[in-house]
Amino acid sequence: MNRLIFLATLFVACAPAPLVVDAGADRPLLIGGPNGEQAEAGVEAPGAEEDGGTSGSTAPADNASDDDTVPVEPGVFFPDRIDVEPPVEEEEEPAVVPVLTMDQDRISYYSINGLAIDRDGEMGFFGMSGGNSCEFDPQGGGLIADMDLFGCPDDPTVYDNQGRVLMECASDEVAFYSVTWGTQRYPIPGLIEADVNGDGFVTVEDDGGCRLSRRGHDGSVESQDLPVELCDGVPALAIDEAGDRIYLANGDLYVADGVEVRQIGVETGDLVAFDAANGTVVTAFEGDVRITGVDMLGEPLWRAEASGGVESLAAVGDRGAVFAVEDNDPSSPDFVAYDGLTGAVWGSVDAWPGMFDYSVSADGTTMIAAAGGTVYTYTINVD
């Protein structure tokens, strides 16, 4: 017993004091001694054999250096050890970019001044060159109904979620038509622009003041004052229906959320589209090659350079991309689909020269486009 006490005293004099744990009256266990070894005083290391510890022992031989010691736990990195490689972080797999293509399904020959397609791609509407308007079957290519809503040429623009198509003309009035609701007409003094918002609609008007109005088909109206510069021309509109936000672009970018109107972009563009899948906004200047993606509060997410001047922007329905019509060659413009969140290009499809209007269904499955006296129906594929 005295010999064990004397041995413990020697350890105290020569090295940092280990913690002594009582493992029995005559066999104390030393933890945290020199080099972090753990052993019982006067007891061989675990795994040692009676033949000298050559079988299964991890203790280094007398002539071995510390650098030859096998780590206690594989994969643990010790900064002062040169025989152990640092852990290697696994590389993240690159994000998969969807591939967008389009199939031309049908060609129809009509002289029109504007068009729109409904939310599921099953029905369309033409403003006819004679001033009236007609329902159009995108899949069959035929006309269904004929009507005349204005004293000026009907110009269909977009469908709401109740199947009503919004019509505009040069007068201070908007009209809606559907088989279910018939014709609904609304005089809007000082009307500048209009768009649908779910089952209602919004207008920008300047009638003694620049205003944005949210309107219902029951006659309800809620208006907000806009900066006067938004009524100097015709601002581009993009609607976040789920968030009830209206984005307006006139070179700068504004958002109206029903409570206030805020400027969230400076010199961002006079074209705008909202990507509902990602909750992002894409902007560009007409004729410029710069395209910018921002979040719903205007924080920049990505920037891209188009192959030619951007003529228009339109969301590819709710698929997560935005079409930019790029005029890289006047004889052959392109539809280029940009990811609304990252700016990655999903695909590029030739557009017809002389194309003056197109419309994409809200579910992103179908598009119709007009060039000259021809109307084309496309199926949009995303793989």
Side-chain angles (χ1 to χ4, degrees):
M1 185 67 177
N2 291 336
R3 184 174 66 85
L4 289 176
I5 295 173
F6 176 74
L7 179 59
T9 303
L10 288 178
F11 271 103
V12 171
C14 299
L19 175 64
V20 179
V21 178
D22 189 1
D26 59 344
R27 300 168 66 185
L29 180 66
L30 305 182
I31 301 177
N35 298 321
E37 60 264 81
Q38 302 179 11
E40 284 189 17
V43 180
E44 290 181 316
E49 306 287 347
E50 292 183 359
D51 59 1
T54 58
S55 175
S57 174
T58 59
D62 293 340
N63 59 350
S65 66
D66 288 344
D67 291 342
D68 295 327
T69 305
V70 178
V72 176
E73 296 182 21
V76 177
F77 175 55
F78 297 94
D80 59 346
R81 292 282 298 279
I82 62 174
D83 66 327
V84 180
E85 294 184 0
V88 178
E89 294 185 2
E90 293 185 5
E91 294 184 4
E92 293 185 5
E93 294 185 5
V96 177
V97 177
V99 176
L100 182 144
T101 59
M102 290 197 293
D103 296 325
Q104 181 179 298
D105 296 325
R106 184 162 295 280
I107 301 176
S108 305
Y109 299 97
Y110 300 106
S111 180
I112 67 174
N113 58 33
L115 51 75
I117 193 168
D118 69 3
R119 297 202 169 198
D120 59 8
E122 297 296 323
M123 186 61 64
F125 228 86
F126 290 162
M128 308 304 289
S129 58
N132 62 323
S133 52
C134 294
E135 281 188 298
F136 168 66
D137 175 8
Q139 311 307 323
L143 300 181
I144 301 173
D146 188 344
M147 63 211 64
D148 191 353
L149 300 183
F150 295 109
C152 59
D154 299 343
D155 185 10
T157 58
V158 63
Y159 279 79
D160 71 5
N161 63 11
Q162 298 295 311
R164 291 176 282 226
V165 59
L166 169 64
M167 304 275 194
E168 294 185 65
C169 80
S171 65
D172 290 349
E173 186 178 30
V174 298
F176 289 83
Y177 174 80
S178 71
V179 174
T180 302
W181 303 95
T183 301
Q184 298 167 289
R185 301 177 65 156
Y186 304 93
I188 314 280
L191 177 66
I192 294 175
E193 186 61 294
D195 204 343
V196 301
N197 184 17
D199 60 357
F201 63 107
V202 298
T203 58
V204 177
E205 65 263 10
D206 186 2
D207 181 28
C210 186
R211 290 190 301 273
L212 171 74
S213 298
R214 288 174 166 81
R215 301 175 181 268
H217 291 280
D218 59 357
S220 60
V221 180
E222 295 181 1
S223 298
Q224 292 176 277
D225 290 333
L226 294 175
V228 294
E229 52 267 27
L230 282 169
C231 289
D232 288 343
V234 180
L237 300 183
I239 312 296
D240 171 9
E241 293 186 349
D244 192 27
R245 298 181 183 88
I246 293 92
Y247 293 91
L248 307 96
N250 68 340
D252 299 328
L253 183 62
Y254 297 81
V255 61
D257 60 8
V259 177
E260 61 178 342
V261 179
R262 302 187 305 279
Q263 183 177 352
I264 60 173
V266 177
E267 296 184 0
T268 47
D270 53 12
L271 302 173
V272 63
F274 181 75
D275 170 17
N278 294 302
T280 57
V281 183
V282 178
T283 66
F285 278 99
E286 184 176 0
D288 198 359
V289 297
R290 293 170 297 174
I291 305 176
T292 302
V294 302
D295 69 13
M296 62 182 61
L297 298 179
E299 288 296 321
L301 297 173
W302 56 268
R303 290 182 174 87
E305 185 169 310
S307 60
V310 178
E311 296 181 347
S312 64
L313 295 173
V316 186
D318 58 4
R319 308 290 281 271
V322 169
F323 275 139
V325 176
E326 301 178 6
D327 190 13
N328 61 329
D329 180 351
S331 65
S332 181
D334 295 321
F335 285 101
V336 181
Y338 291 89
D339 190 295
L341 184 62
T342 67
V345 174
W346 289 17
S348 177
V349 181
D350 291 341
W352 288 95
M355 184 183 68
F356 63 89
D357 199 6
Y358 67 99
S359 180
V360 182
S361 63
D363 64 3
T365 62
T366 312
M367 182 180 76
I368 54 177
T374 307
V375 178
Y376 304 90
T377 299
Y378 296 91
T379 294
I380 301 172
N381 310 300
V382 177
D383 300 313

